[in-house]
């Protein structure tokens, strides 16, 4: 997965809505440019009859967007290696690019009405503002995180920070990817470099809690030993707390929370409410909207007010 968010460009002009590109200029004219507006690439050749039918329709429809979409024409006779790299098997072939990657396309000469539908669909998928583009990138990075693609997520967060060094959500995401690799010291070092305003952001506070938990969990013993210790003496609250941290470290988050809830049910005042304080830390790390946090708060209320 790759993503790069460039600096905000000047508003696009209709007079550059149609250009020719080569293998050498493709990265600039298409990949980089598509981070600022949709790019439609028309692969054609002078000898291609259907190309002569399609290109005028593309030029007309894209010209009507007044610069919101750019048409880039690539002559495959002059740029065969580019056509081969993009697996163009017949012409005309049209690809649409957004955020540096192809998102739609078609082959053959479509009528103008279908070309218009294609471009309208592309415009609907394009961010209406820089803010929407950033939100979309953050969502893409978080999805990569959730799918276990730590490197891909880190790449997106790093690109966002090149664009805006004070973007707290990107700092938090990058910190999470560092923690996901087990590099606690690296996360601590990165945290220490944040500006005061970014460090106070709730997303950073949540990651700081995750870091604290990771340090605590790293000191817990083997999970099987902890479970056996609790089984031998269910009233051992200190063992329960250590087991909860061990489960947290093993990614068994719901089970970790349930262990603490059971500890509170048994003795809510133990060690000045330590089990409850630890549970609140879990919730801070997971975030207020996480289903485990919501579920945990309901269970705790049931225990406290029963």
């Amino acid at each position: 997965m790759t993503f790069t968010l460039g600096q905000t460009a000047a508003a696009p002009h209709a007079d550059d809505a149609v250009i020719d590109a080569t293998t050498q200029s493709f990265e600039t004219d298409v990949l980089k440019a598509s981070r600022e507006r949709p790019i439609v690439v028309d692969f054609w050749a002078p000898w291609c009859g259907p190309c002569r039918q399609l290109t005028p329709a593309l030029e007309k429809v894209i010209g009507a967007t007044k610069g919101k979409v750019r048409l880039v024409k690539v002559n495959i006779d002059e740029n065969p290696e580019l056509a081969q790299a993009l697996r163009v098997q017949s012409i005309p072939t049209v690809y649409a690019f957004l955020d540096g990657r192809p998102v739609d396309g078609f082959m053959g000469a479509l009528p103008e009405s279908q070309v218009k539908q294609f471009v309208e669909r592309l415009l609907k998928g394009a961010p209406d503002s820089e803010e929407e583009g950033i939100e979309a990138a953050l969502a893409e990075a978080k999805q990569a995180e959730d799918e276990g693609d730590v490197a891909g997520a880190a790449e997106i967060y790093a690109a966002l920070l090149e664009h805006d060094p004070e973007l707290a959500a990107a700092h938090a995401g990058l910190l999470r990817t560092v923690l996901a690799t087990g590099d606690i010291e690296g996360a601590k070092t990165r945290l220490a470099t944040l500006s005061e305003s970014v460090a106070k952001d709730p997303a950073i506070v949540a990651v700081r809690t995750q870091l604290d938990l990771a340090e605590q969990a790293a000191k817990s013993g083997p999970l099987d030993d902890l479970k056996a210790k609790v089984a031998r003496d269910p009233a051992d609250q200190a063992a329960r707390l250590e087991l909860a941290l061990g489960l947290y470290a093993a990614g068994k988050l719901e089970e970790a929370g349930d262990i603490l809830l059971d500890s509170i049910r048994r003795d809510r005042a133990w060690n000045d409410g330590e089990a409850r304080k630890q549970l609140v830390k879990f919730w801070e790390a997971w975030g207020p909207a996480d289903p485990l946090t919501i579920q945990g708060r309901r269970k705790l209320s049931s225990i406290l007010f029963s």
Side-chain angles (χ1 to χ4, degrees):
M1 179 182 297
T2 58
F3 181 90
T4 305
L5 187 66
Q7 297 297 321
T8 304
H13 297 287
D15 58 5
D16 70 344
V18 181
I19 66 171
D20 292 295
T22 65
T23 301
Q24 291 71 31
S25 69
F26 191 82
E27 181 176 358
T28 298
D29 292 339
V30 177
L31 301 183
K32 291 183 179 179
S34 70
R35 293 164 192 140
E36 297 158 4
R37 59 174 158 174
I39 305 294
V40 172
V41 183
D42 176 21
F43 291 92
W44 68 287
W47 45 264
C48 169
C51 297
R52 290 195 292 272
Q53 299 173 21
L54 176 65
T55 299
L58 284 170
E59 291 179 346
K60 179 180 178 181
V61 171
I62 290 174
T65 70
K66 298 181 179 180
K68 292 181 180 178
V69 181
R70 170 185 278 180
L71 175 62
V72 175
K73 298 162 64 177
V74 176
N75 184 333
I76 67 165
D77 286 349
E78 296 175 354
N79 303 277
E81 62 277 23
L82 181 56
Q84 183 178 6
L86 292 174
R87 299 180 182 177
V88 175
Q89 298 177 346
S90 64
I91 53 173
T93 287
V94 173
Y95 287 146
F97 284 78
L98 269 176
D99 293 331
R101 63 188 188 278
V103 296
D104 204 350
F106 64 85
M107 290 185 292
L110 298 183
E112 183 179 320
S113 60
Q114 292 185 36
V115 171
K116 186 176 181 181
Q117 291 174 2
F118 173 78
V119 172
E120 288 175 348
R121 187 166 66 245
L122 180 61
L123 280 170
K124 287 180 181 178
D128 293 330
S129 66
E130 179 183 0
E131 183 177 350
E132 287 186 20
I134 291 172
E135 288 301 319
L138 287 170
E140 183 181 352
K142 188 61 172 66
Q143 181 179 350
E145 270 191 81
D146 294 341
E147 293 174 353
D149 183 7
V150 176
E155 186 176 354
I156 298 174
Y157 288 132
L160 284 164
L161 289 173
E162 286 184 13
H163 178 71
D164 181 0
E166 293 292 290
L167 185 59
H171 277 294
L174 194 55
L175 280 164
R176 288 195 302 271
T177 65
V178 174
L179 276 177
T181 67
D183 185 4
I184 292 176
E185 291 304 316
K188 290 171 69 174
T189 300
R190 181 170 288 277
L191 261 175
T193 66
L194 300 181
S195 67
E196 184 177 352
S197 60
V198 170
K200 292 179 180 178
D201 189 273
I204 301 298
V205 173
V207 175
R208 186 176 288 108
T209 300
Q210 290 178 26
L211 177 57
D212 291 342
L213 288 170
E215 287 190 287
Q216 286 181 277
K219 300 173 184 177
S220 61
L223 201 54
D224 288 342
D225 292 351
L226 295 174
K227 288 181 178 180
K229 189 175 182 181
V230 171
R232 285 193 301 270
D233 184 3
D236 187 343
Q237 294 285 60
R240 285 181 170 277
L241 183 62
E242 193 176 0
L243 174 58
L245 289 167
L247 289 166
Y248 179 92
K252 301 179 184 296
L253 306 184
E254 184 173 5
E255 194 174 345
D258 285 345
I259 287 289
L260 293 176
L261 285 165
D262 190 46
S263 293
I264 296 168
R265 186 182 294 109
R266 288 170 176 273
D267 184 358
R268 67 183 68 175
W270 175 77
N271 200 24
D272 197 23
E274 183 64 25
R276 183 176 177 179
K277 293 175 183 176
Q278 193 67 63
L279 187 60
V280 170
K281 275 192 173 185
F282 283 179
W283 294 343
E284 287 178 353
W286 298 338
D290 190 283
L292 289 179
T293 300
I294 296 170
Q295 176 182 300
R297 289 187 184 279
R298 289 173 181 164
K299 289 181 178 179
L300 180 60
S301 294
S302 177
I303 292 170
L304 296 178
F305 299 106
S306 60

